[in-house]
Amino acid sequence: MVRNMSVRDPYEVLGISPNATDDEVKAAYREMARKYHPDNYADNPLSELAQEKMQEINQAYDAIVAQRRAGHSAGGQTGAGA
């Protein structure tokens, strides 16, 4: 019953391309967070599922940000500086 959320591609979770800019990553995260935030599902049978989805979204965003920070020194494309 417990899902291993670290297996899924973080870009797939947020519905974006690995070539997405930093602004596109943030926008996708914010959109997903608004949609699945557990507060939107208070007193709803789907509240537990929303919590799981929100955790997955947060983990995906954190993974992308960490990956891009590490890539800065390697010359990775991040779309930053606009």
Side-chain angles (χ1 to χ4, degrees):
M1 191 159 172
V2 175
R3 298 176 191 167
N4 186 351
M5 293 182 200
S6 63
V7 174
R8 221 168 140 202
D9 176 20
Y11 293 97
E12 183 182 323
V13 171
L14 295 182
I16 56 174
S17 162
N19 297 324
T21 65
D22 288 348
D23 288 339
E24 290 170 331
V25 172
K26 286 178 194 174
Y29 169 77
R30 288 179 180 151
E31 181 181 336
M32 300 280 293
R34 274 193 297 273
K35 183 176 180 179
Y36 292 105
H37 197 282
D39 288 350
N40 295 333
Y41 294 89
D43 299 323
N44 186 314
L46 298 175
S47 65
E48 189 172 318
L49 185 60
Q51 285 178 327
E52 289 178 17
K53 184 68 174 176
M54 194 66 216
Q55 182 180 3
E56 181 181 36
I57 293 164
N58 285 329
Q59 288 174 347
Y61 181 75
D62 290 346
I64 292 170
V65 169
Q67 193 176 57
R68 289 177 177 222
R69 283 186 184 147
H72 275 264
S73 60
Q77 288 186 358
T78 62

